[in-house]
Amino acid sequence: MSAPTETALGLTESRSIGGRVVKAVTYALVLIVFAGPLLALLVSAFNHVKDPTQLSLIPSGATLDNFRTAFDQGVLKYLLNSFFVVGGGLLLQVAVSVLAGYALARKKFRGMTVVMVAILATLMLPEEILAIPLSLILADLPVVHFNLIGTLAGMIVPLGAWAFSILVMTEFMKDVPRELEEAARIDGAGDLRIFAQIILPMCKPALGVIGVFGFTMIWDQYLLPLLVATDSSSYTLPLALRTLRIDPSVTPGVVMAASLLALLPSVIVFLFFQRSFVQGLTSGALKG
Amino acid sequence: MSVDQVRPSANGSAVAGARPTAVPAAKSRPRRSRRAGRWWTPWLFLAPALLLFLYFKFIPMFNAITMSFQEVQPYLGNKWVGADNYKTVLTSDGFREAAWHTVVLAVGQTAGCLVLGLALALLMEGQSRRLGFIRSAAFLPVVVPIAVVAELWRIMYHPTGDGMINSLLGLFGSSPSGFINDPHTSMASIMVTGIWRGAPYDMMIFLAGLGSVDRGLYEAAKVDGAGRFQRIRHVTVPGLRSVFSILFILAAIRGLRVFTEVFLLTNGGPDGSTEVVMTLIYKLGLEQNRLGVGAAGAVLLFLATLVLTVCVHLFRRRGNE
């Protein structure tokens, strides 16, 4: 039984005292480096901080003052904006992706390759590079002439076009057995019914992947809200952190309290749905 | 199989009468038509995606390219200026410096993330539950929003002796560093922050890759008397080839397009020592309204990422043959 656990370093199965010490020290070091700063954030958010310049690792009496000040600065509104954007954006992205995935995976039609290549090509197109033209388009949508600048809708609608989700859905839907679809078709089911009652329920794992991945990606958005927001009433929480910090009356403790609120949702989603998340990471990275 | 055989006969008789619309199509393409439905069904399903991609990816891309050849004047109409914007970009010192900073940052972060990520993955490969916990904890920086990462590190980098990192360094007797406030250390400081956030991501991908390395080879290497280092060099690293190239592309693109952490940590300062292409484009386009020049810079940046991606793909294909 030792064969499957054989690893490159053989570190994990070393049982000697020296090996254990090395192991403990390395893991402690890893934790300090990667989790330590986040622990400092957590501690400072609940700490009395008199010194306006620095964080403290040692708690000096827990308090909710930092959160109170943060809420006085409008953090609740920014948080609600963020939730609104992530909710709307995710809903749109998932809806768009499952529909497109169904067509690309279950249908054969002329022009399919062109559509597939065009969508895949956008994976190589960093959104940062489109920042300037995108902000112009959001100010005046071609044909319909809407101005989305300064609205939450402007931060939501562009999130619908995300090639990664479409790719994941397409790949997954391809694996649903043909026979199920054929049987439903003989029973007289139309495309919409087959899509909603046969294919979609079979794709729950993929829905989990794009849901969890989409959530963290949208929650992490910075540039798009920055392009769209005109004043603090439409700021999302990540954007608001900067304005908080620039305010001279605000201590790092308050910024950290707001930061804690800004990082909790994505950390919670990650911890609860680790499996889906890692699946998404590897399917996104290892497929190329 | 049986399903397909039933169909033609059904078309010929009762069903044809019940659904007259299906008949003409069924005659010209007997089997496909039924399975595929009407020709526009797939397009209906694709419509929302195509509309959104058109508006927010394809049109902006097209506009970026046209704008890069124009002097963009809101309300006055755009003037075609040919390659002038590109000339401006390529001859300006600010841009060349920003390009250099971007390359330095991208190379440093990519190398740092790959090396540290591989080291972490090798250290934490295994099945025990305790390891799973440590892996999750180490992975947390990846899911923390970049804006939070920047604010956190800004405070940790506080330049006086009582700043968090400075007081830690003080324990080892080193004098306080200015970090992001000092032009000599600002770039390295941003790089460290980027590696802190990027390495655990690479670790996770490496771990997935390590899972597919043939365990038998380790055993064989052990029997042949190979030490740990040799096992890694001759078994693990070759087994991770494709993972390396994918991570390289991802990290390099991530590095070239870096914006948010620089924008929040230094916004290009001090003394322009951390100005990267994206922060410069942002300033040109959205603060100084020189949209055409900004667009030219963006197109060049896009070409650079494209060339890099294609090169690595070609290189990889040759390696596989």
Side-chain angles (χ1 to χ4, degrees):
Chain A
M1 276 317 282
S2 71
T5 56
E6 185 75 19
T7 60
L9 277 185
L11 187 64
T12 40
E13 67 267 33
S14 92
R15 300 226 174 273
S16 68
I17 295 194
R20 281 185 184 194
V21 170
V22 170
K23 236 188 334 188
V25 170
T26 354
Y27 295 155
L29 210 63
V30 168
L31 281 183
I32 290 171
V33 170
F34 288 99
L38 296 172
L39 199 65
L41 187 158
L42 186 70
V43 169
S44 322
F46 289 101
N47 222 354
H48 288 285
V49 181
K50 296 282 180 288
D51 188 335
T53 57
Q54 59 152 331
L55 295 181
S56 52
L57 260 175
I58 306 110
S60 60
T63 170
L64 288 175
D65 282 355
N66 291 329
F67 289 92
R68 246 171 249 135
T69 318
F71 278 105
D72 289 341
Q73 302 273 346
V75 159
L76 186 62
K77 172 152 184 55
Y78 305 137
L79 192 63
L80 287 178
N81 280 348
S82 277
F83 275 121
F84 193 73
V85 169
V86 85
L90 197 56
L91 215 62
L92 183 68
Q93 194 179 92
V94 170
V96 165
S97 308
V98 292
L99 288 171
Y102 178 73
L104 291 171
R106 311 299 296 187
K107 299 279 168 189
K108 277 206 168 76
F109 55 97
R110 206 176 285 201
M112 187 168 85
T113 327
V114 178
V115 172
M116 199 70 200
V117 168
I119 289 178
L120 281 181
T122 64
L123 278 176
M124 282 201 288
L125 190 67
E127 62 203 290
E128 283 82 359
I129 289 167
L130 297 183
I132 295 173
L134 190 62
S135 71
L136 295 180
I137 280 178
L138 287 168
D140 181 22
L141 282 184
V143 185
V144 287
H145 296 295
F146 274 142
N147 177 8
L148 292 175
I149 295 292
T151 66
L152 290 179
M155 304 177 194
I156 292 175
V157 187
L159 297 170
W162 207 32
F164 170 78
S165 295
I166 294 183
L167 187 67
V168 170
M169 282 328 292
T170 307
E171 291 295 316
F172 204 88
M173 284 182 175
K174 269 185 188 155
D175 294 340
V176 176
R178 279 263 166 229
E179 287 74 17
L180 283 175
E181 195 184 331
E182 303 278 2
R185 224 171 264 285
I186 287 174
D187 290 342
D191 271 300
L192 212 54
R193 223 184 142 105
I194 291 174
F195 164 72
Q197 296 190 341
I198 312 255
I199 310 281
L200 208 49
M202 308 261 317
C203 291
K204 273 185 196 143
L207 283 176
V209 168
I210 65 170
V212 170
F213 226 65
F215 184 95
T216 32
M217 165 264 182
I218 297 173
W219 196 263
D220 191 27
Q221 283 287 313
Y222 194 86
L223 186 58
L224 183 61
L226 184 68
L227 295 176
V228 176
T230 42
D231 60 273
S232 62
S233 68
S234 53
Y235 277 3
T236 57
L237 191 48
L239 277 190
L241 293 179
R242 181 158 167 262
T243 26
L244 265 186
R245 177 239 297 168
I246 291 169
D247 186 336
S249 68
V250 166
T251 60
V254 177
V255 178
M256 289 299 103
S259 296
L260 185 63
L261 294 173
L263 72 78
L264 268 186
S266 49
V267 167
I268 290 172
V269 165
F270 163 68
L271 291 178
F272 270 96
F273 302 98
Q274 270 192 53
R275 188 168 300 171
S276 294
F277 190 86
V278 173
Q279 209 178 324
L281 266 190
T282 43
S283 73
L286 296 184
K287 211 153 250 166
Chain B
M1 194 57 194
S2 63
V3 171
D4 287 342
Q5 282 164 350
V6 170
R7 236 197 237 127
S9 64
N11 262 340
S13 56
V15 183
R19 280 192 242 167
T21 46
V23 173
K27 259 181 195 158
S28 55
R29 280 183 291 157
R31 203 186 287 176
R32 273 281 304 279
S33 67
R34 216 22 136 55
R35 181 178 293 178
R38 280 155 294 224
W39 68 270
W40 43 263
T41 322
W43 294 104
L44 214 60
F45 277 89
L46 276 171
L50 291 181
L51 193 70
L52 290 172
F53 274 84
L54 188 69
Y55 265 121
F56 302 114
K57 300 282 181 195
F58 302 138
I59 295 180
M61 187 69 218
F62 177 78
N63 285 359
I65 295 170
T66 29
M67 267 164 60
S68 71
F69 293 107
Q70 291 172 332
E71 194 186 328
V72 183
Q73 304 161 306
Y75 311 112
L76 293 171
N78 297 344
K79 206 168 74 190
W80 190 264
V81 293
D84 275 7
N85 289 330
Y86 287 94
K87 223 178 279 168
T88 312
V89 166
L90 290 171
T91 54
S92 98
D93 287 339
F95 225 98
R96 253 182 297 184
E97 233 166 80
W100 172 243
H101 291 154
T102 308
V103 169
V104 169
L105 194 61
V107 169
Q109 272 187 16
T110 305
C113 288
L114 281 177
V115 170
L116 192 57
L118 180 61
L120 286 171
L122 289 173
L123 284 173
M124 300 213 259
E125 192 191 5
Q127 313 259 303
S128 85
R129 188 177 291 177
R130 210 176 329 148
L131 267 178
F133 169 77
I134 298 171
R135 275 201 296 249
S136 299
F139 189 74
L140 283 180
V142 180
V143 289
V144 171
I146 187 81
V148 174
V149 170
E151 294 307 335
L152 174 62
W153 280 79
R154 247 188 100 80
I155 301 178
M156 295 203 315
Y157 276 145
H158 194 75
T160 58
D162 56 3
M164 188 173 146
I165 298 183
N166 267 331
S167 51
L168 282 177
L169 288 177
L171 296 178
F172 301 99
S174 93
S175 55
S177 160
F179 296 115
I180 50 174
N181 294 303
D182 179 345
H184 298 293
T185 51
S186 51
M187 190 50 101
S189 306
I190 290 181
M191 216 181 270
V192 167
T193 307
I195 293 173
W196 180 77
R197 195 180 189 241
Y201 176 95
D202 289 10
M203 167 194 83
M204 217 50 131
I205 312 283
F206 274 129
L207 277 170
L210 282 173
S212 61
V213 174
D214 185 0
R215 306 285 127 177
L217 289 176
Y218 288 139
E219 296 279 300
K222 216 183 215 172
V223 172
D224 288 347
R228 269 182 192 152
F229 182 73
Q230 280 170 312
R231 272 201 281 175
I232 290 171
R233 200 178 140 203
H234 295 293
V235 180
T236 316
V237 173
L240 290 176
R241 253 191 103 104
S242 65
V243 181
F244 267 113
S245 57
I246 291 294
L247 281 179
F248 180 81
I249 300 177
L250 286 176
I253 292 178
R254 206 162 55 194
L256 288 180
R257 61 193 263 201
V258 62
F259 172 74
T260 312
E261 54 261 58
V262 179
F263 180 74
L264 287 174
L265 278 171
T266 62
N267 199 10
D271 272 347
S273 61
T274 57
E275 193 80 86
V276 289
V277 174
M278 267 313 301
T279 52
L280 192 62
I281 290 175
Y282 183 84
K283 283 173 193 166
L284 282 173
L286 294 145
E287 286 170 10
Q288 302 172 19
N289 253 332
R290 295 175 67 192
L291 296 167
V293 183
V299 170
L300 289 175
L301 187 57
F302 173 62
L303 288 179
T305 51
L306 197 66
V307 166
L308 193 72
T309 315
V310 171
C311 279
V312 174
H313 269 295
L314 285 179
F315 184 71
R316 215 171 112 216
R317 188 169 297 167
R318 190 176 301 162
N320 286 345
E321 270 161 14

